[in-house]
């Protein structure tokens, strides 16, 4: 329960942070998605309006030319036609050409071709059509009626169209007949223009019928048709002119819904190149399932042109559909949650550390008051006995009292040194002052501080007993003194204690082997904690600081400590200290 309560604030902050982050992310995602959808719809409406406005301008232009013929009683020559339309073709770059094509019957063909030759200074001497096999222009076959291009502006780059029979191609003928029969402007499906040099570009024609006299019926319109005013357009030019003042990252397809499915594609506008292409390898599957379109129909707009319906299918770019604000909100929320968690974790760690230090101080004071009381009592009693009976005590008893005082003082000194070592290490102020140490005299001085039981022997062996090492003398003394004292304290009388010292290339090994009570397996993980004592120590006195001090001093040397013990008796403690050349 205590452990659960300890982690409760962290779990609460984590849960609350995640809930708030997810809620904020969901709200921002909805707001951003709706904003993107609204902006996308606004942009597609603007694009559609721009295209519709451009095509309307072209149809109005054709109607104004038909008004010219009406005002001039259909008596318009080549020069007048070119003067009238010159400004329009100069102003609107989307217009490939403006033309006049009269209807010519078979009996009138010879006379017309003579006039065409005079009009073109002999450059065109007959009505032409396109050869289906070679694609070249050839003299038109005989038929009842022809609709040859006669007036043309501008002439440069459009010369091949002069004399071309518009009725020789089925797609053009269908639009011609539709314009004639309805008396309204009619557009063709996609075609390859006669003057087009790029095979991957489609064009279209828009016809306005011109009649000899006013008509009231279909029969009147079919019998009184004089010819057609027409505009020639490339799909790419029309689209690029419409979008020249707009800068949106939206690709779109233009489809002629009036045509057969295989003939519907007019072009693909790609924002990367800012151009329209109809190359098959650049045409991808129509994708309308975008986050910016609540339903697929939201990605589709239509425009009307010459009794045909064009469909604009918009494809948002990946940059438009990616919700940057949503991702940013999620990341910021998670970062804030993580920051608060780290702060709380540190605060809990510091609080736990403060509690542990407080507990350590309490145990330290409690232990010190208990452990120091015994040697102080020994010193006090022995000193009082010497003072009261100095002249009556034999030299042996006086020496025994002095020896007890010395042992008690050493015990107090060791206890104080151990407490100071742990306290300074805990505060990060334990100094490390390495020096060259001759092991032979150093170990001899240590042996004098070890109080052995009756019959116990202390042996020293190894290849480095007479060597020199580079270490902190005070810390090394604490390591070996605690290990040897523990070995003597917990080993029986008449047992041997061995100190093995081995020197290798990169480290020095100190190994203390005893025949003591051993360490229980379940206690080995806690035996290095301060104040911890095993359950099998019995009545043997101690503070539980020895191995904790050893571990601290070994860590200061950046060494390693290993303990191997048999529960039935005997413990081996191995210390490796790095050797400095």
């Amino acid at each position: 329960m205590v452990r659960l309560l300890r982690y409760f604030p962290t779990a609460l902050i984590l849960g609350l942070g995640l809930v708030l982050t997810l809620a904020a992310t969901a709200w921002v995602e909805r707001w951003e998605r709706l904003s993107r959808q609204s902006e996308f719809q606004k942009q597609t409406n603007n694009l559609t309006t721009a295209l519709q406005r451009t095509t309307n301008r072209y149809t109005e232009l054709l109607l104004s030319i038909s008004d010219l013929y009406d005002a001039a009683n259909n008596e318009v020559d080549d020069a007048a036609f070119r003067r009238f339309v010159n400004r329009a073709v100069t102003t609107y770059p989307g217009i490939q050409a403006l033309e006049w094509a009269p209807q010519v019957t078979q009996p009138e063909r010879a006379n017309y071709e003579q006039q065409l030759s005079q009009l073109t200074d002999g450059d065109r001497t007959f009505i032409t059509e396109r050869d289906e096999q070679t694609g070249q222009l050839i003299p038109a076959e005989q038929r009842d009626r022809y609709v040859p291009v006669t007036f043309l502006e501008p002439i440069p780059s459009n010369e091949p169209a002069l004399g071309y029979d518009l009725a020789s191609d089925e797609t053009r003928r269908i639009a011609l007949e539709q314009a004639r029969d309805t008396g309204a402007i009619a557009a063709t499906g996609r075609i390859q223009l006669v003057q087009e040099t790029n095979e991957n570009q489609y064009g279209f024609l828009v016809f306005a019928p011109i009649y000899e006299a006013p008509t009231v019926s279909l029969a009147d319109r079919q019998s009184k048709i004089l010819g057609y005013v027409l505009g020639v357009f490339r799909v790419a030019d029309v689209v690029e002119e419409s979008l020249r003042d707009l800068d949106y990252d939206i690709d779109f397809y233009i489809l002629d819904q009036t045509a057969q499915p295989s003939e519907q594609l007019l072009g693909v506008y790609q924002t990367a190149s800012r151009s329209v292409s109809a190359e098959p390898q650049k045409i991808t599957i129509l994708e309308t399932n975008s986050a910016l379109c609540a339903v697929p129909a939201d990605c589709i707009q239509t425009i009307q042109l010459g009794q045909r319906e064009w469909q604009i299918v918009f494809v948002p770019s990946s940059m438009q559909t990616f919700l940057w604000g949503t991702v940013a909100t999620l990341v910021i929320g998670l970062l804030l949650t993580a920051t608060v968690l780290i702060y709380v974790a540190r605060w809990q760690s510091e609080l736990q550390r403060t509690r542990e230090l407080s507990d350590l101080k309490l145990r330290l004071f409690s232990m010190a008051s208990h452990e120091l009381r015994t040697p102080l009592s020994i010193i006090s009693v022995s000193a009082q006995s010497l003072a009261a009976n100095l002249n009556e005590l034999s030299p042996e008893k006086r020496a025994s009292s002095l020896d007890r005082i010395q042992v008690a003082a050493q015990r107090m000194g060791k206890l104080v040194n151990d407490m100071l070592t742990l306290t300074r290490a805990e505060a990060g102020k334990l100094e490390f002052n390495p020096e060259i140490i001759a092991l032979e005299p150093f170990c001899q001085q240590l042996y004098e501080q070890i109080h052995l039981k009756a019959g116990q022997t202390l042996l020293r062996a190894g290849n480095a007993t007479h060597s020199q090492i580079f270490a902190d003398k005070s810390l090394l003394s604490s390591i070996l003194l605690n290990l040897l004292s523990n070995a003597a304290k917990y080993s029986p009388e008449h047992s041997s204690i061995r100190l093995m010292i081995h020197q290798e290339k990169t480290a020095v090994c100190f190994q203390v082997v005893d025949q003591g009570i051993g360490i229980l397996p379940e206690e080995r993980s806690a035996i290095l904690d301060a104040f911890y004592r095993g359950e099998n120590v019995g009545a043997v006195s101690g503070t539980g600081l020895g191995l904790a001090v050893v571990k601290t001093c070994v860590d200061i040397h950046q060494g390693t400590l290993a303990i191997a013990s048999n529960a039935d008796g005997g413990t081996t403690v191995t210390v490796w200290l790095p050797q400095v050349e």
Side-chain angles (χ1 to χ4, degrees):
M1 180 60 69
V2 175
R3 182 179 293 272
L4 291 177
L5 290 176
R6 177 184 175 185
Y7 292 108
F8 177 75
T10 302
L12 179 62
I13 292 174
L14 177 61
L16 186 61
L18 290 177
V19 169
L20 292 177
T21 297
L22 293 177
T25 301
W27 185 87
V28 171
E29 186 273 337
R30 175 177 171 78
W31 170 81
E32 190 173 20
R33 178 165 49 81
L34 292 176
S35 298
R36 292 284 184 87
Q37 288 178 356
S38 176
E39 180 65 20
F40 179 73
Q41 290 301 313
K42 179 181 177 181
Q43 292 179 354
T44 57
N45 288 338
N46 290 342
L47 290 171
T48 304
T49 301
L51 285 170
Q52 185 69 76
R53 185 184 297 118
T54 299
T55 56
N56 289 345
R57 186 185 304 125
Y58 296 153
T59 57
E60 290 295 329
L61 177 60
L62 292 177
L63 291 175
S64 68
I65 299 174
S66 66
D67 290 341
L68 169 67
Y69 275 80
D70 185 53
N73 294 321
N74 297 328
E75 298 294 332
V76 178
D77 60 14
D78 178 52
F81 180 87
R82 295 181 62 184
R83 283 197 305 272
F84 187 82
V85 302
N86 179 262
R87 178 178 295 180
V89 297
T90 304
T91 304
Y92 303 123
I95 300 175
Q96 177 75 16
L98 292 174
E99 302 172 354
W100 159 251
Q103 178 171 277
V104 178
T105 62
Q106 175 61 33
E108 298 171 337
R109 176 173 178 174
N111 184 47
Y112 171 81
E113 289 180 338
Q114 185 178 4
Q115 294 176 0
L116 179 64
S117 177
Q118 294 175 355
L119 183 65
T120 61
D121 296 329
D123 190 42
R124 293 287 187 275
T125 59
F126 46 80
I127 299 174
T128 61
E129 64 181 22
R130 190 184 295 276
D131 187 287
E132 295 182 358
Q133 300 296 326
T134 64
Q136 300 296 319
L137 294 177
I138 60 175
E141 295 181 355
Q142 290 190 4
R143 57 178 65 92
D144 293 340
R145 291 178 176 81
Y146 308 90
V147 184
V149 176
T150 304
F151 299 160
L152 173 64
E153 180 66 21
I155 292 179
S157 75
N158 291 302
E159 289 179 330
L162 281 172
Y164 177 75
D165 179 18
L166 299 173
S168 64
D169 174 70
E170 182 180 4
T171 302
R172 293 173 172 84
R173 185 172 62 253
I174 292 173
L176 286 169
E177 293 174 352
Q178 186 178 25
R180 179 198 65 191
D181 294 345
T182 60
I185 284 179
T188 68
R190 72 180 193 186
I191 59 172
Q192 191 77 30
L193 298 178
V194 175
Q195 57 270 52
E196 182 61 72
T197 58
N198 187 350
E199 295 182 357
N200 293 316
Q201 288 290 348
Y202 292 124
F204 63 95
L205 307 180
V206 180
F207 298 104
I210 304 296
Y211 300 99
E212 296 176 356
T215 61
V216 294
S217 65
L218 175 60
D220 276 351
R221 287 190 287 271
Q222 290 178 345
S223 62
K224 294 180 180 179
I225 185 69
L226 181 65
Y228 302 86
V229 173
L230 65 141
V232 182
F233 306 95
R234 294 172 73 247
V235 175
D237 293 340
V238 173
V239 173
E240 290 168 14
E241 179 190 352
S242 302
L243 305 185
R244 61 184 175 182
D245 295 328
L246 300 176
D247 186 19
Y248 298 149
D249 290 330
I250 303 177
D251 296 346
F252 57 86
Y253 297 81
I254 305 175
L255 305 175
D256 183 0
Q257 292 298 98
T258 313
Q260 296 296 323
S262 60
E263 300 290 324
Q264 287 185 351
L265 180 66
L266 298 176
V268 182
Y269 179 77
Q270 297 172 314
T271 56
S273 60
R274 301 291 177 184
S275 63
V276 176
S277 173
E279 295 183 30
Q281 63 268 27
K282 291 186 178 180
I283 300 172
T284 57
I285 299 174
L286 298 183
E287 292 287 349
T288 56
N289 294 326
S290 169
L292 297 182
C293 303
V295 294
D298 290 342
C299 281
I300 299 175
Q301 300 273 9
T302 59
I303 62 174
Q304 304 296 324
L305 173 63
Q307 305 182 57
R308 303 186 77 86
E309 182 179 279
W310 283 8
Q311 188 178 78
I312 317 298
V313 181
F314 296 97
V315 183
S317 67
S318 58
M319 294 297 292
Q320 286 180 308
T321 57
F322 191 80
L323 302 179
W324 292 102
T326 302
V327 174
T329 301
L330 179 62
V331 171
I332 292 173
L334 293 177
L335 288 177
L336 288 176
T337 302
T339 301
V340 174
L341 280 177
I342 292 173
Y343 175 79
V344 171
R346 288 182 177 177
W347 173 75
Q348 286 185 310
S349 177
E350 290 296 328
L351 183 61
Q352 182 66 21
R353 183 180 178 85
T354 302
R355 289 174 179 172
E356 290 176 354
L357 287 175
S358 178
D359 292 342
L360 179 63
K361 290 178 181 179
L362 289 175
R363 285 186 291 172
L364 188 62
F365 292 146
S366 176
M367 181 274 301
S369 63
H370 179 270
E371 293 296 328
L372 291 176
R373 187 180 294 114
T374 300
L376 283 174
S377 298
I378 293 174
I379 293 173
S380 177
V381 171
S382 298
Q384 289 176 5
S385 176
L386 284 173
N389 305 301
L390 181 62
N391 297 326
E392 299 176 3
L393 294 175
S394 63
E396 292 80 7
K397 290 184 177 181
R398 287 200 297 270
S400 177
S401 296
L402 291 174
D403 186 58
R404 285 197 300 271
I405 292 174
Q406 184 179 12
V407 170
Q410 289 178 348
R411 181 179 175 185
M412 289 177 60
K414 180 178 179 301
L415 178 60
V416 171
N417 285 335
D418 288 346
M419 289 190 296
L420 287 175
T421 298
L422 289 177
T423 303
R424 288 172 179 169
E426 194 73 29
K429 296 183 179 180
L430 184 60
E431 295 182 355
F432 178 64
N433 300 308
E435 59 182 285
I436 297 176
I437 302 173
L439 291 178
E440 173 67 22
F442 176 77
C443 290
Q444 194 61 42
Q445 292 177 1
L446 286 179
Y447 291 170
E448 295 175 359
Q449 301 178 51
I450 306 300
H451 299 283
L452 300 175
K453 295 179 181 178
Q456 285 184 336
T457 57
L458 185 57
L459 305 176
R460 185 168 75 249
N463 64 2
T465 56
H466 299 284
S467 300
Q468 292 182 335
I469 65 170
F470 190 70
D472 187 294
K473 191 172 185 178
S474 175
L475 299 181
L476 182 60
S477 176
S478 294
I479 292 172
L480 296 180
L481 189 59
N482 275 290
L483 292 179
L484 292 172
S485 296
N486 281 350
K489 184 190 302 183
Y490 296 109
S491 294
E493 297 179 351
H494 305 286
S495 62
S496 63
I497 301 168
R498 289 181 295 164
L499 173 61
M500 313 294 292
I501 306 176
H502 299 281
Q503 187 169 17
E504 297 185 2
K505 185 175 181 180
T506 59
V508 178
C509 175
F510 296 90
Q511 196 170 56
V512 177
V513 182
D514 65 37
Q515 300 174 7
I517 59 176
I519 302 172
L520 298 177
E522 61 271 18
E523 295 180 333
R524 291 176 187 173
S525 60
I527 199 67
L528 297 177
D529 295 341
F531 304 109
Y532 185 86
R533 303 193 71 206
E535 295 181 359
N536 60 344
V537 297
V540 180
S541 63
T543 62
L545 296 178
L547 288 178
V549 171
V550 171
K551 179 68 167 59
T552 299
C553 295
V554 171
D555 289 343
I556 293 295
H557 279 88
Q558 297 183 354
T560 59
L561 172 65
I563 300 176
S565 182
N566 189 343
D568 297 332
T571 299
T572 300
V573 181
T574 304
V575 174
W576 289 91
L577 299 182
Q579 177 65 18
V580 179
E581 295 292 339

